[in-house]
Amino acid sequence: MMKSSSEITRRDFLTIAGILAAGSVTPAMGQITPTTISGRPGNDEYFFPAGFIYMNTGTIGPCRRKTVEETTDTWKQLESLPLQFYATKFAPALAEKTRMMAASFLGCDISEIMITKSTTDGMNAVAQGLRLQPGDRIITTNQEHDGGLNGWNYMAKYYGVRIDSVNIPFDTHDPSLLLENISKAITPQTKLISISHVFSSTGLRLPVAEISKLARSKDILCIVDGAQAVGTIKVNLKELGCHAYATSGHKWLMGPKGTGLLYISKEVQNRIRPIQFEDSHNTFNESTGVGNLPGILGLATAIDYLHETGIGKVEQQNLSLRNRLYHSLLKETGLDIQSPPPGSMASPLLSCRLPENIDGGKFSSLFLETHKISFRPVHKKWFNGVRFSLHVFNTEEEVDKLVQIIKKELSSRSD
Ligand SMILES: Cc1ncc(COP(=O)(O)O)c(C=O)c1O
């Protein structure tokens, strides 16, 4: 029988309050001074080497200096008396701070949030926890990341579940068309729709609230891979209305690597029961075993920064940089941008195709090695191109520099 999370939470809270009052561990919550989020070159809030331009947060984000310091401080305290730290009520209670922060950031109840290692880990947990039957069908799309697909592929391979992949062309940006295509794929055997919130391929935002509504009207589940959304655009889980949502701590949230969050809506907690949360949804429970407490607490620090700064402000700034890049690439390079034009479907990820004679992987390596600019190739299964992620530490100057170098590199190849 699962323990009542809210009961545990209240009790844990009192314990946390006691710990913090005793000054044993530096609390992250409420201590972040809101800073201006205009990035600047040589910004010492981060560890980037001077002159380096990082546009790869969608792959893996940087931790801020403060996040690293608080994580390592906790780690040092923990290592001074490991058993005492973990084996007493201290660690389990303290760890709930991260769930509390995440729930507040994402607009849901703490009992609906679980700590995972990654988006993949969360999506796998949902797939495993659903106990699907042979012949059950799942709707997904051709633009899902493997992290969101692994669990369903496993179910198809070993449990006879069938996957219906809706084909969405990369340059289709019309939300009603997306919805229509997904709707057409629903059959009487369909048990769920599994989609990204933001496509890893092009940064397109999916109309998740509408897709959830559609799913609910057909009495099926809506499961969301939010790896490319949380930390860079405002995410309110109740407004989205989905049943489950997985994300990473180590991308846009800028938390420690190997951290993630999983939301399972209260109403389906009896239907989605991953092994690791069978005992309870608490960070420390009999079904998960010992976790990485310093990293988990570091994630609370990272979330706190974005929460205090204001996710609306972060989103606005990131989109403004992204739109600058969009217009500038079009004007200066004529590259074939696959991401949506500025507007409601755009997110701070931007991808473009490269001419066939220029390989996305080699182009990205060249920029890293020669120009100290980090971005990534688009996954080969989608198209030959490159993807840029723009987050709070990036600047307009960086965007302009990137475009000028791209222009130069492209023109040297067309000679
Ligand atoms: C949409 C999407 N889902 C899942 C993942 C995997 O994330 P993680 O490494 O945290 O499992 C990624 C990573 O880029 C992604 O873009």
Side-chain angles (χ1 to χ4, degrees), residues 58 118-120 145 147-148 196 198 200 225 227-228 248 250-251 387:
S118 59
T119 300
T120 308
H145 188 277
S196 296
V198 169
S200 180
D225 169 346
Q228 298 298 349
S248 314
H250 43 239
K251 293 184 188 285
R387 186 186 79 182

Side-chain angles (χ1 to χ4, degrees), residues 17-18 65 82 85 110 126 147 153 158 213 293 303 365-366 390 412:
R65 191 172 292 275
F85 207 93
I110 182 172
V126 173
N153 288 338
Y158 295 109
K213 218 175 189 176
L293 184 62
I303 295 172
S365 300
L366 169 86
L390 297 158
S412 75

Side-chain angles (χ1 to χ4, degrees), residues 119 122-123 126 130 138-150 152 163-168 175 177-183 185-186 190-201 204-216 220-230 235 237 240-247 262 345 382:
T119 300
M123 292 297 288
V126 173
L130 267 166
I138 291 164
I139 294 177
T140 184
T141 79
N142 61 318
Q143 294 194 50
E144 301 309 318
H145 188 277
D146 286 347
L149 283 181
N150 276 319
W152 310 128
I163 299 173
D164 297 310
S165 182
V166 174
N167 188 48
I168 299 174
L177 203 61
L178 291 169
L179 200 63
E180 192 184 315
N181 288 350
I182 290 173
S183 176
I186 298 175
T190 304
K191 290 288 179 290
L192 63 96
I193 300 170
S194 175
I195 35 125
S196 296
H197 191 173
V198 169
F199 277 147
S200 180
S201 47
L204 180 86
R205 277 190 216 215
L206 274 84
V208 171
E210 287 76 13
I211 297 170
S212 297
K213 218 175 189 176
L214 169 71
R216 284 171 184 275
I220 58 183
L221 299 177
C222 180
I223 312 294
V224 182
D225 169 346
Q228 298 298 349
V230 173
V235 175
L237 294 167
L240 291 179
C242 55
H243 296 93
Y245 191 107
T247 196
L262 172 63
M345 302 300 278
W382 291 318

Side-chain angles (χ1 to χ4, degrees), residues 17 40 50 80 124 149 164 178 261 307 311 315 374 383 389 393:
R40 53 194 185 277
S80 67
N124 288 348
L149 283 181
D164 297 310
L178 291 169
L261 300 168
H307 206 12
I311 190 64
E315 175 173 352
S374 173
F383 53 86
S389 313
F393 47 82

Side-chain angles (χ1 to χ4, degrees), residues 71-199:
T71 302
T72 45
D73 281 354
T74 311
W75 193 4
K76 282 180 200 158
Q77 287 185 47
L78 183 160
E79 298 302 350
S80 67
L81 274 174
L83 183 63
Q84 192 179 40
F85 207 93
Y86 271 106
T88 64
K89 189 73 185 120
F90 186 81
L94 188 62
E96 301 315 341
K97 187 173 63 171
T98 307
R99 289 176 68 217
M100 185 179 72
M101 289 293 311
S104 156
F105 188 59
L106 297 172
C108 66
D109 193 81
I110 182 172
S111 64
E112 298 175 301
I113 287 285
M114 283 137 266
I115 302 293
T116 62
K117 293 191 302 234
S118 59
T119 300
T120 308
D121 191 31
M123 292 297 288
N124 288 348
V126 173
Q128 179 273 317
L130 267 166
R131 291 155 293 143
L132 294 166
Q133 303 296 317
D136 285 348
R137 292 170 76 150
I138 291 164
I139 294 177
T140 184
T141 79
N142 61 318
Q143 294 194 50
E144 301 309 318
H145 188 277
D146 286 347
L149 283 181
N150 276 319
W152 310 128
N153 288 338
Y154 185 93
M155 291 298 146
K157 187 172 175 188
Y158 295 109
Y159 291 84
V161 166
R162 183 168 158 182
I163 299 173
D164 297 310
S165 182
V166 174
N167 188 48
I168 299 174
F170 297 104
D171 54 1
T172 294
H173 305 140
D174 176 355
S176 43
L177 203 61
L178 291 169
L179 200 63
E180 192 184 315
N181 288 350
I182 290 173
S183 176
K184 278 191 200 148
I186 298 175
T187 71
Q189 288 73 40
T190 304
K191 290 288 179 290
L192 63 96
I193 300 170
S194 175
I195 35 125
S196 296
H197 191 173
V198 169
F199 277 147

